[in-house]
């Protein structure tokens, strides 16, 4: 049975944002890395968390629960177009951020990505300030 293997991103490809996190932490802790590098690494990680990290969809379904289908990133929904729209709409409305964020705490994958997203936002801001005030 010579089934061809599908080319899927490997572990590093799938989790590369989480691989960058310790690099950023090391950058801050050691002081050896330039703020520009940390800013770029933080921005990349943030984008990864929002658009690529393996997580659950968590859009509201008709029975009022969060959708449990797999999605890529905190801001994108699962393969259902309706769920994608629902989450995009919430992301663009500041008043809905609390609700959106509350959902991320429901499961490990999403809260790990949410915490990482917050940490990298902070890291990127501090790096940007460090660059601007140098
Ligand atoms: Zn969904």
């Amino acid at each position: 049975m010579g089934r061809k293997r599908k080319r899927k991103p490997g572990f590093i490809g799938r989790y590369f944002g989480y691989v960058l996190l310790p690099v950023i932490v090391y950058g801050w802790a050691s002081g050896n890395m330039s703020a520009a590098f940390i800013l770029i690494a933080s921005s990349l990680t943030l984008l990864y968390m929002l658009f690529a990290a393996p997580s659950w969809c968590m859009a509201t379904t008709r029975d009022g629960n969060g959708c449990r289908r797999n999605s890529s990133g905190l801001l994108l929904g699962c393969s259902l177009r309706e769920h994608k729209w629902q989450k995009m709409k919430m992301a663009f409305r500041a008043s809905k951020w609390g609700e959106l964020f509350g959902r991320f705490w429901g499961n490990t994958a999403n809260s790990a990505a949410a915490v990482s997203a917050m940490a990298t936002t902070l890291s990127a801001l501090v790096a940007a300030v460090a660059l601007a005030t140098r």
Side-chain angles (χ1 to χ4, degrees):
M1 302 291 269
R3 275 180 91 190
K4 271 189 185 170
R5 278 204 308 158
K6 274 186 193 164
R7 281 184 66 88
K8 278 187 180 172
F11 181 84
I12 298 289
R14 205 165 138 72
Y15 290 94
F16 98 95
Y18 290 105
V19 175
L20 276 176
L21 277 178
V23 175
I24 295 167
V25 172
Y26 174 79
W28 282 119
S30 69
N32 283 336
M33 286 183 208
S34 70
F37 175 82
I38 293 175
L39 178 60
I40 292 167
S42 303
S43 310
L44 273 179
T45 311
L46 179 62
L47 285 175
Y48 166 86
M49 294 305 163
L50 294 181
F51 299 108
S55 56
W56 288 0
C57 168
M58 296 312 276
T60 313
T61 54
R62 260 178 228 163
D63 54 14
N65 294 320
C67 171
R68 296 291 168 89
R69 290 161 66 115
N70 289 329
S71 75
S72 292
L74 293 173
L75 278 188
L76 299 179
C78 61
S79 52
L80 296 174
R81 198 181 302 164
E82 190 192 326
H83 287 179
K84 283 196 176 73
W85 275 114
Q86 191 187 112
K87 294 185 73 178
M88 276 298 173
K89 271 190 254 168
M90 285 176 87
F92 281 108
R93 275 209 195 138
S95 60
K96 291 277 188 186
W97 287 358
E99 195 185 321
L100 189 63
F101 216 79
R103 293 210 191 141
F104 294 153
W105 302 114
N107 64 80
T108 317
N110 288 30
S111 46
V115 169
S116 308
M118 281 196 298
T120 47
T121 306
L122 193 69
S123 168
L125 282 175
V126 176
V129 170
L131 273 178
T133 56
R134 197 163 41 173

